[in-house]
Structure formats: structure tokens, C-alpha cells
Amino acid sequence: MPLLEVRDVAVRFGGIVALDGVSFDVAPGSIVGLIGPNGAGKTTLFNCLSCLYECDRGEILFDGTSLLAAPRHRIAAIGIGRTFQNVALFRSMTVIENVMLGAHSRSRSGFLANALRLPRVPKEEAVIAAGASRILDLLQLGSAAQRPVSDLSFGTRKRVELARALASEPKLLLLDEPASGLNHEEVGELGALIRGLRDRLRLTVLVVEHHMSLVMSISERVVALNFGKVIAQGAPDEVRRHPELMRAYLGTA
């Protein structure tokens, strides 16, 4: 049974068709690449998976349950973690504080308990901090745990955002252009990191990326979009040679 099922999803913004009948599956434990030219609908689809956008048509099933009726603030608790194209961290907070925020969906103390600092709150915070430290060590960020995010390079901030997404203990990890702004060496390290995290944490990964060599090297399956429609899907070598993909990127097959 697929972990994620996208069925005939359509999204319109006025007269603009952003997604038009998009359908594909993501198997548990797999890495699936989502590619396409600018404006193909990739980020719109991610926003539908995150319940930031509503679908005009279609169905999205996660672990057999529809996401369409799920409130957006419950997505992390359901088991979906996400990074964004533009790094969205709290720059004045430390690295470990940002990562601890990612675990809020796994905490049990509510607003009142935290406001009154009931005895269970410090204990829970200690558990969350320990989990955040383990994730930082896994991503080789332990030495930067107490540094403000504003002091870090862009590539390191991207890794901190990944750590925050992992803190929610997701089943499905959505990576939105994780290689943007990285140099060649960092892109190579990122590919090995994504595969390592998938294997070690038993994740399922759906990644949007323009860096074609990265997508093709880490993905078991690739889905290609153009003008909101799926133009090709399958194994990386099959999709790479697909005439419609060549036409989308090069203007000719």
C-alpha cells in the first residue's frame, strides 16, 4: 500500500491552472523526485500536501487517510515534515532552540501547563532537548547547537531547517529544493545525507529539486511535471530519456 497517494489533483488560481489531474504514488521507504521547469506546479503540489492550499478536484491519501479535511496545524502530528525553498528559521534563536520547535507536535504539555511551569514541563523540555541534540549530531551540527542561526552560512542554515523537520519524527519528509544555494561539494554531501537519513530513520522522502544530477542519483522513482500535468514518471533512467521531458526543458525532443 502506498504511503502517499495523489489522485487527479487539480488547483486553479482564477484563470490559471496550476495543477491539472496530477496522479502518482509514493511507496513506503522510497525516495521520489519531483521535477519540472519553473512554473510546472511542484511547489503548489507541496502546498497541497501540507494543506496550505485547497484542491479544486482530486484526493490525497496519506497512510490510507484523506488529507483534504485535515487542519494544517495537524500535518506535523500526522507524520509529514517539510522544508521550504526559502529557509524559514528564527534567526535570533539558537540552532538547538530552532530544532526543538520542530518537536512541538510531539509534546503533551499544553499552553496552560507551560504558562504555569507545571512540574512535567521541564521534564518534557529535557526530553525534547535530548532528541534535538541527537538529530544535530546526526547532521554533524552538534558543535553549532548554541550558536544563533543568524551567524551561520546559508548551507548550514539549510541543514538546520532539515533538522527541525526531522524533530517532528515524520514518516514522510517533503524537501523543497534542498540544494538551492549550495555549491557543488555541498550538493554531493546532501545526496549522501538524504540517502543516509532515509535508511537510518526509515523515512519516505519526496523531493522537489532543479539539480537534475542530484535527483537522478538519489531517487528510485521520478515524477516530471510541466504546466501542471504529469508528463512522465518511472525509474530515473526512463524519465531522463523521455521525449516530453526533453521538450519541456529544451524545447525539442
Side-chain angles (χ1 to χ4, degrees):
M1 178 178 178
L3 180 65
L4 177 69
E5 300 174 68
V6 178
R7 293 284 174 264
D8 194 32
V9 168
V11 175
R12 293 175 177 269
F13 300 108
I16 299 173
V17 180
L19 295 174
D20 188 5
V22 173
S23 297
F24 64 90
D25 295 337
V26 178
S30 65
I31 300 177
V32 176
L34 187 62
I35 63 173
N38 288 330
K42 304 181 298 297
T43 297
T44 297
L45 179 59
F46 260 33
N47 287 338
C48 291
L49 298 178
S50 306
C51 291
L52 298 177
Y53 290 170
E54 294 184 359
C55 302
D56 294 312
R57 187 183 77 236
E59 178 67 279
I60 300 174
L61 299 176
F62 175 70
D63 210 7
T65 302
S66 175
L67 289 179
L68 299 187
R72 60 190 61 170
H73 67 272
R74 293 290 300 163
I75 292 301
I78 288 171
I80 299 177
R82 179 182 176 178
T83 65
F84 293 83
Q85 288 183 25
N86 300 314
V87 177
L89 298 171
F90 293 93
R91 294 173 59 85
S92 62
M93 295 171 62
T94 65
V95 168
I96 194 167
E97 287 171 342
N98 270 278
V99 177
M100 288 174 66
L101 283 174
H104 78 280
S105 62
R106 302 300 174 191
S107 63
R108 296 182 179 179
S109 300
F111 174 79
L112 185 60
N114 279 272
L116 298 176
R117 298 299 294 175
L118 296 182
R120 67 175 180 270
V121 172
K123 295 179 181 178
E124 187 174 63
E125 286 183 349
V127 172
I128 291 174
S133 294
R134 287 193 295 271
I135 293 171
L136 291 176
D137 290 340
L138 182 62
L139 299 183
Q140 300 180 344
L141 290 170
S143 61
Q146 301 303 327
R147 293 180 61 187
V149 166
S150 58
D151 291 349
L152 305 177
S153 67
F154 182 76
T156 304
R157 292 201 303 269
K158 296 277 282 190
R159 193 167 289 206
V160 173
E161 189 178 46
L162 174 58
R164 184 180 62 185
L166 293 174
S168 67
E169 302 176 13
K171 295 179 183 178
L172 174 65
L173 182 62
L174 306 177
L175 300 178
D176 196 352
E177 298 192 19
S180 65
L182 303 185
N183 60 41
H184 183 74
E185 181 179 351
E186 289 171 331
V187 170
E189 293 173 353
L190 177 64
L193 176 63
I194 292 172
R195 278 192 171 275
L197 291 173
R198 187 274 305 268
D199 296 339
R200 184 163 182 171
L201 302 179
R202 298 180 180 179
L203 294 170
T204 303
V205 181
L206 179 60
V207 54
V208 165
E209 186 52 68
H210 286 290
H211 203 292
M212 199 65 67
S213 62
L214 173 65
V215 174
M216 296 299 177
S217 66
I218 66 173
S219 302
E220 282 93 30
R221 293 184 68 252
V222 175
V223 179
L225 297 179
N226 193 30
F227 294 115
K229 294 185 177 183
V230 175
I231 58 173
Q233 60 178 306
D237 286 341
E238 296 173 3
V239 174
R240 191 200 313 262
R241 296 192 300 266
H242 198 284
E244 288 300 322
L245 184 69
M246 297 181 185
R247 189 173 290 111
Y249 278 97
L250 304 176
T252 178

